[in-house]
Amino acid sequence: MEESLTCEHPERKILMKAAYIEETGPPEVIQYGDIPTPEPGEGQVLVKIGTAALNPIDTYVRNGANYWELPKPFVTGSDLAGTIEKMGPGTSRYQVGQRVWGTNQGLVGRQGTFAEYAVVDEHWLYATPDDVKDDAVAACALTGITAHLGLGADNAALKSGETIFVHGGSGGVGSMVVQMAKAMGATVLTTAGSREKSEICLELGADHVFNYKTQDVDEEVLKVCPNGVNVIWETIREPDFDFLVSIAAERCRMVLMAGRDARPEFPVGPFYVKGCSLHGFVMFKASPEEMAVSGNEISRWLSEGKLKPQIGKIFPLSEAAAAHKLQEDNTLRQAGTLVGKILIKP
């Protein structure tokens, strides 16, 4: 007699498309394919991604920057905008079908956003205004919150009527700082490397733009502000502190948000004699409550037209590796082939 076989069928997992890595390395390690759709846990929601955005830190993590242990497979990407698909237990802030946006994913061991769906702790999400598109809010996510935190009371403490110098006003964070500083009532001075980028800075609200390739920037800044500027926002990876201190006013506040491996010389004497202060920070170490203040303000400014997202190029999810390469070419190798944010569409 034939032996009877019992065939048990394990629960079939629902799959989604994602851009993910099994090991760190160059952009070519990114795979595009099917992985299980995640399920929201306690305090989490499942978001159907409408638009994701790429940031330099996403490329550093993919390339093996040893900030924290990564899950495997690891989905890259920090920023998202989309619609809530499913609520996990213990959630009450939002509802299914509501449009939301956020950042801080793909960091500190969390899974990222380059996928059709992402599970997100609801405290990292903010309501998307009805009159704001997913592309627009995704393009302002990490960069916008970084800018808002840096300009706030714990860092630059920028006040209406003050002057601020922003190094690189057409870049991802720089363009957000220029617009927010203007919205806060400051006089904004910034730099750009081409006529095209200078025009972008002026459109964003900068009062004075200097071409760092053709002009003596410190001389030009001091023509406009003979006593120096009140706030300096540094975006470049290798700060020149002799230059920065030379354009600083008494009690100038300097904000650093780049150059993790930088070890520049520092003019201690001129710095402290002017009573300057130096503020370094990274967005992902802010608390959910701190980031919520920024997120809600960004949503309001976008709805009011006070923030204009800078979108450089849009890639389909299947071309995530090419998107990472373009970002690296411009961040690390100064290719100059990108103005604005790279977006990813599932």
Side-chain angles (χ1 to χ4, degrees):
M1 187 171 97
E2 243 179 63
E3 185 177 351
S4 176
L5 297 177
T6 301
C7 186
E8 295 182 2
H9 296 283
E11 184 179 349
R12 293 179 179 174
K13 291 185 178 295
I14 299 174
L15 301 179
M16 67 175 182
K17 295 295 185 185
Y20 62 93
I21 64 173
E22 297 283 359
E23 60 181 3
T24 58
E28 291 74 21
V29 301
I30 296 176
Q31 302 179 50
Y32 171 72
D34 294 324
I35 64 172
T37 303
E39 280 290 317
E42 184 73 26
Q44 296 181 323
V45 299
L46 180 69
V47 180
K48 183 177 182 180
I49 306 295
T51 308
L54 181 59
N55 296 282
I57 192 170
D58 302 327
T59 68
Y60 307 155
V61 172
R62 183 224 70 233
N63 200 41
N66 190 24
Y67 304 150
W68 44 75
E69 188 175 349
L70 301 180
K72 289 186 179 180
F74 172 66
V75 177
T76 185
S78 305
D79 298 340
L80 77 155
T83 306
I84 294 180
E85 184 89 358
K86 187 175 182 180
M87 309 289 292
T91 54
S92 59
R93 191 173 301 181
Y94 304 106
Q95 58 189 6
V96 171
Q98 186 169 357
R99 293 176 61 229
V100 292
W101 67 276
T103 184
N104 217 13
Q105 305 308 299
L107 305 171
V108 200
R110 288 186 282 270
Q111 286 285 13
T113 61
F114 281 23
E116 291 181 300
Y117 296 91
V119 160
V120 184
D121 293 340
E122 68 171 357
H123 59 227
W124 298 125
L125 292 171
Y126 320 106
T128 303
D130 292 339
D131 55 355
V132 177
K133 297 183 182 300
D134 282 351
D135 285 7
V137 74
C140 296
L142 184 146
T143 54
I145 287 182
T146 298
H148 194 272
L149 289 171
L151 290 172
D154 290 337
N155 292 294
L158 182 68
K159 302 176 186 65
S160 178
E162 290 191 315
T163 54
I164 180 172
F165 172 81
V166 185
H167 229 153
S170 66
V173 174
S175 63
M176 289 289 105
V177 176
V178 167
Q179 294 179 79
M180 290 183 185
K182 196 63 185 173
M184 295 167 72
T187 297
V188 181
L189 297 78
T190 190
T191 62
S194 68
R195 177 177 295 179
E196 176 194 14
K197 291 182 178 180
S198 295
E199 290 173 354
I200 290 172
C201 293
L202 291 171
E203 290 172 4
L204 294 177
D207 297 283
H208 305 276
V209 184
F210 312 114
N211 188 322
Y212 61 82
K213 292 182 178 179
T214 61
Q215 293 179 282
D216 189 332
V217 176
D218 53 352
E219 183 177 307
E220 296 298 327
V221 169
L222 292 174
K223 283 181 183 176
V224 176
C225 302
N227 296 320
V229 295
N230 304 118
V231 172
I232 293 173
W233 187 292
E234 181 59 278
T235 64
I236 67 171
R237 293 164 61 85
E238 292 289 338
D240 178 350
F241 281 104
D242 283 308
F243 159 70
L244 297 179
V245 173
S246 75
I247 64 169
E250 296 285 326
R251 299 190 179 184
C252 176
R253 291 90 70 195
M254 301 183 185
V255 177
L256 302 181
M257 41 70 64
R260 183 179 290 265
D261 299 320
R263 298 292 187 274
E265 292 186 5
F266 191 85
V268 175
F271 179 85
Y272 82 77
V273 166
K274 281 188 173 182
C276 297
S277 58
L278 192 61
H279 305 264
F281 78 103
V282 287
M283 175 277 301
F284 59 79
K285 289 187 177 180
S287 70
E289 294 76 19
E290 289 170 324
M291 288 180 61
V293 172
S294 299
N296 293 331
E297 187 84 335
I298 289 166
S299 288
R300 182 174 67 83
W301 278 343
L302 280 167
S303 183
E304 293 174 353
K306 292 181 180 179
L307 276 184
K308 299 175 184 176
Q310 299 300 296
I311 299 171
K313 192 169 178 65
I314 300 176
F315 286 86
L317 181 60
S318 59
E319 296 179 19
H324 270 243
K325 186 177 186 307
L326 178 62
Q327 184 68 67
E328 278 190 342
D329 285 344
N330 283 270
T331 305
L332 302 180
R333 291 176 277 279
Q334 305 301 311
T337 56
L338 177 68
V339 179
K341 294 286 294 182
I342 296 174
L343 301 185
I344 301 291
K345 304 286 283 187

